[in-house]
Amino acid sequence: MMRGGSITGPALLAILIGVSSARAAEGDWPAFAGGPENRNFSGLAQIDRGNVARLRPAWIFQTGVTGTFQAQPVVVDGTLYVSTTQNHVAAIEAKSGRVLWTYTHRARTEKVFGPPSNRGVAVSGGLVFEATMDGRLLALDAGSGRVVWDKEAVRPEEGESETASGLAAQLGGKPVQGSSRLGFKMPPLVADGLVIVGVTGAGYGLHVEDEKGGLDGGSVIGIEGGYGRRGWLAAYDARTGEERWRWYVTKADGWEGGYVTATPDGTPLHRDVAAEKAAAPANRDAWRVGGGSLWMTPAYDAELGLIYLGTGNPAPQNLGLSRPGDNLYTMSLVALDVATGKLRWHFQQVPHEEWGYDVASPAFLLDHPGEDGPVKAVAQGSKTGWIFVHDRRDGRLLARSRPLITQKNLFAPPTPEGTVVSPGPLGAISWHPVAYDAARGLAFAQVRHGAATYTVKTLPGAEGRPPIRYTETGEARAEPSFSTLTAVDLAEGGGIAWTVKAGSRLSGGTLATAGGLVLSGEEDGHLDAHDAETGQMLWRFQCGAGIGGPPMTFSVEGRQYVAVAAGGASFTKSSGFGTGDALVVFALPD
């Protein structure tokens, strides 16, 4: 509405929603990963290689909720917004740490998938958007924390199988979590007036919890059968919360694909195609429960009108005869039209996947060298141990980096004797963001080196039921297990520029800055700063609990800050490192 020559009300909100990061106030960190390119890079350079050793805590915010604190904060116009474990939200004065308001989330169900973590909020047009583990999408007033709208997108317990208790009895009383429970972990993307978010928990089917009571340790049992859920990404009107479109990961018509025997980049898959085709007639509807979780925020190219996201593993996890075929479009990098959700292209990294190699780390945008000049490209750091680079327009594979780990028996199927495969389901690069420094052409990734043993087991059926087949996945303890911070030169053939072995498991993701720094968190609680050119460690600080989220940086009134969540994660329970509830914010001394 126009009043006295100015724009007010819904019209103003419509203009504000979806403002690009380029128009954000200088020094802000206006969205997850710093902006729609998902580069986790900042042009701030006040903190640099020469003075980073003087970095000290400026203020600390304690959430009051311990553990699994994975969120990356967002800073807009001097206010920092952060979500916590249990989906609470706080607005904080970014220069002082003074709390401005808090929102306390009251979940409508306790049945959620995995640890109750949240990885961040989105802020646009005076609203704070959060997607919750109990399947809701919220819009809060950025000034007060008041709920503007609350959309129930999915109930996590919808469609749960009633066979879990019976299967638990057959599995010796082990706790069966069934079936998959849908919810949200990713920070939403705000683009073109839409809030875009996708579900996790779709790709497991019935599974048995490991001895630690969780899923993050890598010991997961996937049970054969139609117990999964169908993953999806949806877009909601940022003003009202009304759903505008929904894209399902599993293809309703032809999800079997071409029964390919190698990945698109030429790596053999060792599939028993004959057995899959024989099983196909009895499993024509497998796509209906075919999985495909969406772990992290898509990248967005406003000029092309496309978003780029990775999809997760098919269901049931690790055992594929009850889902014959390539299982389109799981395990893929996909490009969708932002206005309609229509698929523009896909690149399936692992057809008919059986190892837990979700395309989980968020894609990021870059300009890739080409014969006729720079090519608009999108890259993704994979669990399989490569960084893939594609043409943003059509998905054509432009380059693949050198392997970031030593691969062993890659794509060898699980067996009754146990097959040792490297990497394991936690991957080389898991959901953690990769930082990209365009000026240097370097991508900085936290890389896990480790293997898993995949064992097919069979239990006799009870009460006339057929036998139960499942795959047990556990860490291959005889194999080396460690993490590295690795710099990959994407401008010069994808070679390894440098790699540094960490003292404990790296987690949360990386941040690169124009000050020549790469910041990276460890599960033992250290936040480390490395020289972007050489990898040399220049500074580290013990934050008191495992680093579970990606660091970020911002400036207020000419002073640069670095912030990171230190709350641990589910894997810290088995590692001996503690959990916490702190957002630690650093700056140079006055």
Side-chain angles (χ1 to χ4, degrees), residues 241-262:
E242 293 302 312
E243 185 173 319
R244 295 302 180 210
W245 56 255
R246 181 177 295 201
W247 177 76
Y248 285 97
V249 175
T250 61
K251 193 177 187 311
D253 180 17
W255 98 304
E256 298 84 2
Y259 290 91
V260 299
T261 57

Side-chain angles (χ1 to χ4, degrees), residues 285-308:
D285 290 334
W287 61 270
R288 296 183 183 275
V289 289
S293 291
L294 302 169
W295 295 104
M296 290 302 294
T297 307
Y300 172 48
D301 183 327
E303 181 180 340
L304 295 177
L306 296 178
I307 60 175
Y308 305 89

Side-chain angles (χ1 to χ4, degrees), residues 68 70 85 112-118 133 185 214-216 569-570:
T68 324
Q70 298 178 333
T85 301
V112 300
F113 170 75
S117 57
N118 182 272
M133 282 298 294
K185 282 184 180 287
L215 301 174
D216 215 2
S570 58

Side-chain angles (χ1 to χ4, degrees), residues 230-283:
R230 195 181 184 199
W232 51 263
L233 183 88
Y236 301 86
D237 189 298
R239 293 172 295 172
T240 66
E242 293 302 312
E243 185 173 319
R244 295 302 180 210
W245 56 255
R246 181 177 295 201
W247 177 76
Y248 285 97
V249 175
T250 61
K251 193 177 187 311
D253 180 17
W255 98 304
E256 298 84 2
Y259 290 91
V260 299
T261 57
T263 65
D265 51 311
T267 307
L269 285 169
H270 311 297
R271 290 171 67 174
D272 188 344
V273 171
E276 289 180 45
K277 289 184 175 180
N283 294 278

